[in-house]
Amino acid sequence: MSGLSDILVQLGVGIVPLGVAYLAFRSATDASRKSQQSALLQVEHQAEVERSKVDAEAFIRAKTIYEDALAQMEKQMSRMQGQASQLGAELVTEQSSSVAMRDQIRRLQAQIRALERTVLVLRSQLVDAGLSPAPPSDLTGPHRLGP
């Protein structure tokens, strides 16, 4: 029996290093897995930081573009308001000129009516004096009626 116990002892002594080796292997793989996870988390964190930087830069560019567009729109609005004011002033001037021209036309029409009445009076005076008024086609002067 001593042969069997010797084999059992040797087997026990041989299993202990195998168990230790297995535990060392497990610890090493766990450590390796944890370091890979840690490295992966660091890479993900770094990628997130880079995405944040890119997003921040894109936001700054978009903000700059927006502010430039807004400034241009404000300048254009200011120019348009100036042009509207100028057009308003021109409209007032044109309306004043239009009113003045209408008044002048009314005065000229009144003068024409007065001249037409004068022509009628003069025509009747010419006829009463025995002279013929000028025919519509001949405006050179009075013509005598008869011989």
Side-chain angles (χ1 to χ4, degrees):
M1 266 258 214
S2 88
L4 184 58
S5 62
D6 284 340
I7 290 177
L8 286 176
V9 169
Q10 284 180 355
L11 189 62
V13 170
I15 288 179
V16 170
L18 283 176
V20 170
Y22 175 75
L23 289 176
F25 172 76
R26 286 285 288 166
S27 294
T29 55
D30 286 347
S32 174
R33 189 176 314 123
K34 286 182 182 179
S35 70
Q36 284 178 348
Q37 288 175 346
S38 175
L40 186 60
L41 286 175
Q42 280 184 327
V43 168
E44 287 177 359
H45 178 70
Q46 186 63 32
E48 185 63 33
V49 167
E50 290 300 318
R51 279 193 298 271
S52 295
K53 286 181 184 178
V54 169
D55 289 347
E57 290 171 359
F59 174 77
I60 290 170
R61 283 192 306 272
K63 182 181 174 189
T64 301
I65 290 169
Y66 173 77
E67 287 173 347
D68 289 346
L70 187 60
Q72 288 177 359
M73 287 176 64
E74 287 173 348
K75 287 178 186 176
Q76 188 175 7
M77 183 65 89
S78 178
R79 280 194 304 266
M80 289 177 70
Q81 287 173 340
Q83 289 174 348
S85 296
Q86 183 179 359
L87 286 173
E90 289 176 8
L91 179 61
V92 167
T93 302
E94 291 295 323
Q95 287 174 339
S96 297
S97 297
S98 175
V99 168
M101 284 183 193
R102 264 190 250 125
D103 290 344
Q104 187 175 7
I105 288 170
R106 284 188 196 109
R107 282 192 303 274
L108 289 172
Q109 287 173 338
Q111 288 176 352
I112 289 171
R113 284 191 300 274
L115 288 172
E116 286 173 346
R117 287 189 301 269
T118 302
V119 166
L120 287 175
V121 168
L122 290 174
R123 191 178 295 250
S124 69
Q125 288 175 354
L126 282 173
V127 169
D128 291 345
L131 298 173
S132 167
S137 63
D138 184 12
L139 302 176
T140 60
H143 300 282
R144 292 232 171 246
L145 293 174

